[in-house]
Amino acid sequence: MSLRVFIPRDSGALAVGADEVAAALLEHAHARDLPVDLVRPGSRGLYWLEPMLEVDTPEGRVAYGPVTPADVPALLDAILSDGTHPLKQGLTEQIPWLKRQTRLTFARCGIVDPRSIDDYRAHGGYRGLERALKMSSDAIIDDVVKSGLRGRGGAGFPTGTKWRTVAQAGRGQKYICCNADEGDSGTFADRMLMEGDPFMIIEGMTIAGIAVGATKGYIYIRSEYPHAVEAMNAAIEAARRTGYLGEHICHSTDSFDIEVRVGAGAYICGEETSMLESLEGKRGTVRAKPPLPAHKGLFGRPTVINNVLTFSAVPYILDGGAQAYADCGMGKSRGTKPIQLGGNVKHGGLFEVAFGITLGELVDEIGGGTLSGRPVRAVQVGGPLGAYFPRALFDTPFDYEAFAARSGMVGHGGVVVFDDTVDMAKQARFAMEFCAHESCGKCTPCRIGSTRGAETVDKIITGDRPAANIAVLEDLCNTMKFGSLCALGGLTPIPVLSALTHFPEDFGLAPRRLQAAE
Amino acid sequence: MQYEPWEPARASEIIAGLTHKEGATLLMLQALQEAFGYVPQGAEPMIAQALNLSRAEVHGVLTFYPDFRRAPPGRHVLKLCRAEACQAAGGDALAAHVETRLGVTFGATTADGAVTLEPAYCLGLCATAPSAMINERVVGRLDAGKLDALLAEAQR
Ligand SMILES: Cc1cc2nc3c(=O)[nH]c(=O)nc-3n(C[C@H](O)[C@H](O)[C@H](O)COP(=O)(O)O)c2cc1C
Ligand code: SF4
Ligand code: FES
């Protein structure tokens, strides 16, 4: 009997030495003549335990972490005897951090071998597609509508409605575009799925293709993710080889194929129309809407554009889970949200739960506070265009509407934790600087306003007529908010104004106390 | 990283291999940069001709995207993440440290041609911040010591 061991190939695990641990394991096992079957899955998302090593046992997988190459000999001794070792975390599925989650989208991530289509199928993969192939286009779209699925890329637009528009947009060439640009800082869910469960994304895109009558799909992946690009390409090839992509998928009358395209470092190319321009080989400038991409998208043809997580939710829904999906969540935010905890946090990682968990639970209980051990002062939710929240707002539940009501946004679900050494005026300046750096240049409020914004914050920081300059900053923010063509210029005021509102003392103003919830 | 020396005939071959693709401009620029480490000015008219575009259009695309280089990089490219999660975990101090250590600012190459220092705005490694990527190798939980070791390796 060989020992079955799992060490992630996920780039988050590689970044902290997973390859070195894998090499040490093989070397020491070889020296002991111990046959080892090493699998390289994605990550379970418990990054503070990465590199995590799991061993198959009759009771289930047992986890050890964080493992260094130097730990390997003693770890092997432990595994071969009764398993006792200081790094032992017990049965992986019983680790409280993992057990508290509701994993629908990430159900297989970290478990299956992302290179193996057989493993994917053995874990329920492709059941959604098989069912979809027997359904009418309308019936597939009805299921997606019934699930209440909203786009996970940021704006939260109802997915079924989008698909129906494209399905009804006449015949002829149509496209499916998967937005894997994941440019928001603090987010890595799309990356984890591409590296850990790529067939699910392929399956979701294929179902979308069948539903709307598109035979060609593109997945636009940012260049900062070379490992994800490789994993997606390998999975697409495997799907083609086994008849899950290409002509007559699974011997049906439907055809669908996917091509990977890699971005070139521009954040704005995550905005859907800018992504289309980029895919067409042009500068990634934003298009005015209308026409909507659903009517006139890639190369002028009707196009479905969804985020990686949106497509990934589809196989579960089509596999008979529309009602089950709709049953979790709160208000108009149905299903689960993969939340990404990062920054100065003790337990950073991916946490998938039904909507409704509060920010405070996430940061204090799940995240365990800061890594530095200092008090949490601010949390930025929703990427570089998201608001900075103080402790006083930690009772905000994760829900699109609840965050919007407090001038914030859920966005792609990134939660970045800062301790009390953070300077919020500096963070406000960074938001403006980032916008200036990433602006596509099409409209003046964003292109010029952001540069002026950074300069104005500089003046406030140096104490140059702070009151007057704060008025200028607020005015600029309003101009950007109402005068920008897209959300880059339109939402940059959110981090800036939230910093100013909740942390005025960092701008040289008298501190204000918000009422705490408790 | 090993790159081929710029050679127009080789560039033509790369371009010709991609003309059948829809919207191929970025694909061509990326393939040229992968081969030569940068996109020389001489490549612009070649792409323009292959895709029936004006040279200005190709130049516009090349200069829009931060990834494209118009001069050869150093032997190693170090991308340090400057985005929020890494800032929260001490990234700014690391950035200052690396600039001092290498004697260059972001966007520049060291005098010995060993390292090109570039900013990145999130590498998706935010749960193990601060993060960097040297060539295609990712590194997390970075501190000054780890960074120095990486640089020493690159400058050898
Ligand atoms: C500046 C900007 C950047 C964006 N970046 C991304 C991104 O990286 N990934 C993404 O899926 N959506 C991004 N979006 C949202 C997309 O425009 C679009 O709403 C989304 O891809 C639609 O898919 P969904 O309905 O599945 O969310 C961005 C939007 C803006 C304005
Ligand atoms: S708001 Fe900024 S990024 Fe958006 S279209 Fe205008 S200039 Fe371009
Ligand atoms: S913010 Fe640095 S890796 Fe995400």
Side-chain angles (χ1 to χ4, degrees), chain A residues 15 47 175 185 218 223 282, chain B residues 22 30 65 67 84 140-141:
Chain A
Y47 280 108
Y175 293 100
S185 55
Y218 284 98
S223 63
K282 302 180 197 144
Chain B
E22 294 178 305
Q30 286 164 335
Y65 294 96
D67 277 1
E84 287 92 334
R141 293 186 194 135

Side-chain angles (χ1 to χ4, degrees), chain A residues 229-250:
Chain A
V229 171
E230 198 215 308
M232 280 313 305
N233 271 321
I236 288 168
E237 259 169 53
R240 261 186 219 135
R241 262 200 319 273
T242 43
Y244 283 99
L245 280 178
E247 304 272 312
H248 307 297
I249 305 162
C250 306

